[in-house]
């Protein structure tokens, strides 16, 4: 099995060539789109296998929904949902690159020992004071996402003077903290946190502002997959009807500087970003 350092080196090489696709795997009963589908080990393993066959570069495994208004999951319950799954996927698919979607350092630590090499923290490592230390010690990579408030409060009338400038400044501050904690530059990715304390207009401004966020110098991850702003633009479509809208956001995100996209629909996303890369980077076969 490759070491964390080897896996991250190969991710970095790929990042220089094309957009990476991160497939979402939520072992939760209540996630806004895939909640309840992968709560058994068998179902989750089958889904992991499918996403890998469809070309996912990374699988992002989560045990706590962070949709607006969601309640926090106790640590022991999150560990029970996530760790056996990371272990099982790592042993069945040793070449797979695994990420854990958590804000809790203990969950992150156990997942990194069980075979993950990325910690995807929607709080930008602000909810748990030990998170950066755990990631630094493991030699892992951290995704630092912007959120305004908490999942419980974030959609209660979010206000910004200049959303792009404020998100950029916060991500810069998060990255500085990570560097000070001993995480090297090449192991830090940033994410504007689409839908996390943002109105529809804020989300659109942030997507248009991706070139400014990319100017921070860290790879940019974007997660728009089936989110509510897409349903809103399309006249109130539910999550099941938001695939085409999602693909539009992916193509434009690639054009505007996204390096990694986090999606539920891996096959469609891989096709979309491959064509977008060919246009934007001249990378067609
Ligand atoms: N979005 C979700 C969860 N984690 N992580 C990053 N880095 N960026 C995102 O945009 C992001 C994320 C929400 O999507 P999902 O996991 O499908 O839903 P839920 O939070 O309900 O589990």
């Amino acid at each position: 099995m490759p070491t964390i350092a080897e896996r991250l080196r190969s991710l970095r090489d790929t990042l220089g060539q094309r957009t990476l696709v991160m497939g979402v795997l939520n072992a939760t009963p209540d996630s806004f789109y895939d909640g309840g589908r992968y709560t058994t080990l068998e179902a989750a393993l089958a889904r992991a296998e499918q996403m890998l066959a469809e070309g996912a570069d990374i699988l992002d495994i989560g045990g706590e929904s962070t949709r607006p208004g969601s309640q926090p999951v106790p640590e022991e319950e999150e560990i029970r949902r996530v760790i056996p799954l990371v272990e099982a996927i790592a042993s069945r698919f040793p070449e797979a690159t695994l990420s854990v979607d958590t804000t809790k350092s203990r969950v992150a630590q156990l997942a990194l020992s069980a075979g993950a090499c990325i910690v995807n923290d929607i709080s930008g490592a602000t909810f748990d004071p030990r998170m950066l230390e755990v990631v630094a010690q493991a030699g892992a990579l951290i995704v630092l996402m912007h959120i305004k408030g908490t999942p419980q409060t974030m959609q209660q009338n979010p206000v910004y003077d200049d959303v792009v400038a404020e998100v950029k400044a916060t991500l810069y501050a998060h990255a500085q903290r990570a560097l000070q904690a001993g995480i090297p530059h090449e192991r830090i990715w940033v994410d504007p946190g689409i839908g996390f304390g943002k109105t529809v207009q804020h989300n659109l401004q942030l997507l248009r502002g991706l070139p400014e966020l990319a100017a921070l110098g860290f790879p940019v991850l974007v997660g728009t997959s089936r989110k509510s702003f897409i349903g809103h633009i399309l006249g109130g479509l539910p999550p099941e009807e938001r695939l085409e809208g999602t693909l539009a956001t992916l193509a434009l995100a690639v054009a505007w500087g996204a390096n990694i996209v986090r999606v539920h629909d891996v096959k469609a996303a891989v096709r979309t970003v491959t064509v977008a890369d060919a246009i934007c980077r001249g990378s067609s076969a």
Side-chain angles (χ1 to χ4, degrees), residues 20-169:
L20 298 184
V21 173
M22 173 187 258
V24 178
L25 183 54
N26 284 317
T28 56
D30 57 342
S31 287
F32 82 95
Y33 178 61
D34 64 352
R37 297 187 197 189
Y38 311 116
T39 47
T40 68
L41 203 54
E42 261 176 23
L45 274 170
R47 180 65 180 154
E49 181 169 25
Q50 183 188 17
M51 288 197 287
L52 291 169
E54 289 176 353
D57 296 292
I58 303 162
L59 299 181
D60 189 36
I61 301 161
E64 177 177 59
S65 171
T66 47
R67 70 186 191 290
S70 57
Q71 290 305 310
V73 172
E75 183 172 283
E76 285 312 313
E77 174 62 12
E78 198 179 327
I79 289 172
R80 194 192 63 74
R81 291 178 186 176
V82 166
I83 303 306
L85 186 50
V86 174
E87 278 168 357
I89 298 178
S91 110
R92 181 84 65 90
F93 310 107
E95 296 306 316
T97 299
L98 306 183
S99 158
V100 61
D101 186 350
T102 189
T103 60
K104 299 185 182 76
S105 64
R106 178 93 185 116
V107 178
Q109 190 168 40
L110 292 172
L112 294 172
S113 304
C117 61
I118 299 175
V119 176
N120 173 25
D121 186 333
I122 60 115
S123 77
T126 62
F127 289 178
D128 184 329
R130 291 206 55 236
M131 183 60 98
L132 293 173
E133 181 190 324
V134 162
V135 173
Q137 270 178 14
L141 185 150
I142 188 147
V143 182
L144 297 166
M145 200 195 79
H146 176 274
I147 183 171
K148 195 176 181 74
T150 66
Q152 294 75 57
T153 62
M154 64 190 183
Q155 290 308 105
Q156 296 166 5
N157 189 32
V159 176
Y160 302 83
D161 283 334
D162 177 339
V163 68
V164 176
E166 288 180 42
V167 167
K168 184 177 180 182

